[in-house]
Amino acid sequence: MIGAGLIGLGIAYELARRGADVRVIDAREPGGAASWAGAGMLAPYTESIAGPYEAFCARSLALYPAFVEELRERGGIDARLRLDGILEVAYDRGEVARLRGRVEALAARGIAARYLDREATLRLEPALGGDILGAALCEAEGCVDNRRLGRALRAACAALDVPIDAHAGDVALEADARRVLGVRGPAGFVPATHVVNAAGAWAGALAGVPASSRVPIVPVKGQMLALAMPRAFVHRTLWAPGAYLVPRDDGRLLVGATVEDAGFDVRVTARGVRALLDAALRALPALGDLAVAETWAGLRPGSPDGLPFLGETATSGYFVAAGHYRNGILLTPATAVAIADAVEGKRDASLAAFSPQRVPAGEHAAHDLGAKEAV
Ligand SMILES: Cc1cc2nc3c(=O)[nH]c(=O)nc-3n(C[C@H](O)[C@H](O)[C@H](O)COP(=O)(O)OP(=O)(O)OC[C@H]3O[C@@H](n4cnc5c(N)ncnc54)[C@H](O)[C@@H]3O)c2cc1C
């Protein structure tokens, strides 16, 4: 396994619990890249995803409770899953109409969601600003503490005796014209019959990959910050124009996130922080008195058509699990099962849209984001 983000650790865990002999190698700190930087929202519906991708995201959300519980039992760390809904708020009539329409469409499909008028919204979240008109509550969704999930996966992998080589430097694939041979890094050559590239935003730049098996992954920068909030200031994840807010059990309120085409730059900028704070303060004016506890930035692994690359490539034994863009935390459990199945030679026709052997069309999804999604 190349890469010990949530995707690589999740696949390694799933393969190990099925009895496979797995080794994970990471250039840097396991669980320390996008998987650490993310907000942990589990939002297949609020993210306005469609088609087979929404179905895959919903499948992953359904796996989450058992996944988190199993990791807690196996390694002793609780990733703090909360399925108490995501509240998307509206400030103008156009947004009210859009949210009402979405709630009706979700409810017609049996997905737990309802529209709340202004009074009902403020009863749920009294700190919201007074100019709010209403909100959509998608009760099927929630969030997980992704930093804890990374630690939970490491502990569960350790309990299954999966070696995780941390700070190993960049490794490269070794393959001949037809199949994979192993990986080579600063510590030497590791032979392998199967190699999974789970290198996140770096997956497209992995050295040694034959041209026929490369995937066009690009980094999409996201800046975030955390405020220190009083107890019960915000109860659940809020999605407002220009920013989302995610409360953590430890008293931090996460505010995210910018969407930027900035290469591999992970600096926190004045413009980024100002954009997030302007949007957050509009939604919750009382935030103005809270202390800024932390700022950070990470790199989402983006793909040209907005879909991940999942499965075997044209090079036999070489698999890719990357390009999860804004939904890699949500997609960790379903990706783990999908790639473990693929390594075992099982085919899942419902995942054909994500084949690494497809030729993705179109501009990168970040360029197509509407105003609502530029958070
Ligand atoms: C600001 C922000 C907010 C987000 N919010 C959410 C959210 O709310 N919900 C959600 O579902 N998703 C969210 N995401 C997206 C999610 O974080 C990512 O899709 C997911 O973490 C990707 O996981 P990964 O394991 O593929 O990549 P990463 O976590 O980036 O891990 C890749 C690993 O590969 C290693 N690596 C790279 N190259 C090599 C090499 N050559 N050799 C060895 N190791 C290598 C790296 O060191 C790294 O540890 C967010 C992302 C960001 C940045």
Side-chain angles (χ1 to χ4, degrees):
M1 183 69 53
I2 300 174
L6 289 178
I7 296 299
L9 290 171
I11 298 164
Y13 171 73
E14 180 63 25
L15 283 167
R17 72 192 276 281
R18 296 184 188 192
D21 184 10
V22 197
R23 173 174 218 103
V24 188
I25 306 176
D26 200 291
R28 295 166 279 271
E29 177 67 13
S35 299
W36 176 90
M41 288 183 297
L42 308 177
Y45 311 112
T46 301
E47 281 273 6
S48 303
I49 300 163
Y53 196 31
E54 189 206 74
F56 189 53
C57 288
R59 187 199 295 187
S60 205
L61 181 61
L63 292 174
Y64 244 100
F67 177 62
V68 164
E69 180 57 20
E70 187 179 314
L71 295 181
R72 193 186 61 75
E73 281 171 11
R74 189 92 67 173
I77 297 179
D78 180 0
R80 305 264 164 85
L81 174 67
R82 294 176 54 168
L83 293 176
D84 51 0
I86 293 183
L87 193 69
E88 182 171 356
V89 296
Y91 292 89
D92 61 53
R93 286 176 194 283
E95 274 295 281
V96 168
R98 188 184 65 78
L99 292 182
R100 278 190 188 280
R102 191 154 59 76
V103 161
E104 276 170 26
L106 289 174
R109 292 165 55 204
I111 295 157
R114 59 197 162 105
Y115 183 79
L116 305 177
D117 64 15
R118 177 187 150 78
E119 283 67 36
T121 304
L122 290 173
R123 265 199 305 280
L124 271 191
E125 297 290 349
L128 278 166
D131 54 347
I132 189 174
L133 295 183
L137 176 62
C138 189
E139 292 156 307
E141 298 181 325
C143 63
V144 69
D145 186 331
N146 42 295
R147 294 182 186 177
R148 289 184 70 94
L149 182 60
R151 296 203 295 277
L153 272 166
R154 282 181 81 171
C157 282
L160 290 173
D161 295 324
V162 175
I164 301 175
D165 300 350
H167 301 280
D170 281 332
V171 301
L173 189 76
E174 287 231 340
D176 63 20
R178 287 187 307 112
R179 67 162 299 113
V180 81
L181 302 170
V183 298
R184 186 173 294 281
F189 176 67
V190 181
T193 54
H194 300 77
V195 174
V196 181
N197 174 354
W202 299 268
L206 185 70
V209 178
S212 61
S213 299
R214 294 208 186 114
V215 285
I217 304 279
V218 292
V220 184
K221 179 178 177 181
Q223 302 186 49
M224 291 192 60
L225 56 91
L227 302 168
M229 66 169 179
R231 182 172 283 278
F233 182 76
V234 167
H235 298 86
R236 62 181 55 67
T237 299
L238 303 178
W239 189 296
Y244 53 73
L245 299 104
V246 185
R248 287 278 189 257
D249 292 355
D250 62 6
R252 290 179 313 137
L253 180 62
L254 311 191
V255 182
T258 66
V259 178
E260 300 169 65
D261 183 1
F264 288 92
D265 169 32
V266 284
R267 290 173 308 130
V268 174
T269 63
R271 187 182 295 117
V273 170
R274 185 177 70 181
L276 294 173
L277 285 176
D278 281 349
L281 281 161
R282 166 146 198 235
L284 292 126
L287 288 183
D289 290 327
L290 304 189
V292 176
E294 190 186 351
T295 60
W296 67 93
L299 301 172
R300 306 173 184 90
S303 69
D305 57 7
L307 302 178
F309 294 97
L310 304 174
E312 194 164 20
T313 65
T315 305
S316 180
Y318 172 54
F319 296 74
V320 176
H324 295 77
Y325 190 41
R326 293 166 65 101
N327 295 295
I329 300 162
L330 167 62
L331 286 171
T332 293
T335 299
V337 172
I339 299 296
D341 282 351
V343 167
E344 288 179 348
K346 296 179 196 149
R347 287 191 188 280
D348 182 344
S350 71
L351 303 182
F354 314 127
S355 168
Q357 304 196 43
R358 76 184 186 273
V359 179
E363 286 296 300
H364 184 264
H367 300 141
D368 298 327
L369 293 170
K372 176 186 98 68
E373 292 194 326
V375 294

